[in-house]
Amino acid sequence: MLKKLYVVYLVVFFGISIGAIVIGSYGINDQQSHIYVLPDGYTGWVEIRYEQEGSPPLPREGEEYVNLIPRTGILNTSDSPTSGEMKFYYHDELGNRKKIELDMIRTQAMKTKYVLSSNGTEEELSVNVFFVGTEQQWNDAKSRN
């Protein structure tokens, strides 16, 4: 009896383990890469606002989403937020991209933000925010808030 119970336990344990691995692998493979393209020399806060009615979807390069950040630092898109690899570039007036090193990217976070809409009601937004700049620029920005 005990041997039979042990065999059932092992079968259930391995079945759950294999299921967890398959589900976990699917979730990792389902993540989308994002390319963030900023105006040349941009420093400051960047905010991507998702699920914005009337805003265009993010363009794609192959399977990667391209976030073309305007000088304001705020990008509105109709797309829903997705997780995945993030790549950062500056874009010059000739259309060339120059990689932004990760030590220039600070406090990246997905969060909910509340903003006042034009009709006076509070609107809940899903946003991705991060700061682009040196440590000194980051410290200066924090001290102003």
Side-chain angles (χ1 to χ4, degrees):
M1 175 70 173
L2 193 58
K3 187 176 179 183
K4 199 175 198 181
L5 191 59
Y6 182 71
V7 169
V8 169
Y9 169 78
L10 284 178
V11 168
V12 169
F13 175 78
F14 284 115
I16 290 171
S17 297
I18 290 170
I21 290 169
V22 168
I23 290 169
S25 296
Y26 175 77
I28 290 170
N29 293 334
D30 196 36
Q31 293 183 349
Q32 302 295 320
S33 293
H34 288 264
I35 298 172
Y36 296 87
V37 182
L38 291 87
D40 199 23
Y42 180 89
T43 60
W45 285 103
V46 173
E47 181 176 295
I48 296 89
R49 297 177 176 181
Y50 296 99
E51 298 171 342
Q52 296 299 292
E53 193 175 309
S55 295
L58 296 171
R60 291 198 176 199
E61 289 180 4
E63 293 295 313
E64 298 179 304
Y65 288 101
V66 180
N67 296 260
L68 299 170
I69 309 300
R71 281 245 168 246
T72 63
I74 298 173
L75 173 64
N76 293 309
T77 179
S78 59
D79 284 331
S80 296
T82 61
S83 61
E85 180 184 12
M86 300 170 73
K87 302 172 190 173
F88 303 90
Y89 297 92
Y90 281 127
H91 179 263
D92 66 22
E93 25 333 297
L94 300 176
N96 300 313
R97 289 184 187 170
K98 183 175 102 179
K99 186 174 182 180
I100 300 173
E101 297 303 323
L102 289 181
D103 65 350
M104 291 285 287
I105 308 300
R106 303 180 190 288
T107 70
Q108 185 280 326
M110 286 294 300
K111 63 182 190 175
T112 300
K113 179 179 181 178
Y114 297 91
V115 297
L116 199 57
S117 67
S118 58
N119 65 5
T121 61
E122 199 169 61
E123 183 180 356
E124 182 179 312
L125 302 177
S126 293
V127 297
N128 179 10
V129 295
F130 55 91
F131 186 87
V132 180
T134 64
E135 185 174 352
Q136 183 62 51
Q137 289 167 322
W138 165 235
N139 289 329
D140 290 346
K142 287 191 306 184
S143 68
R144 285 191 294 259
N145 289 338

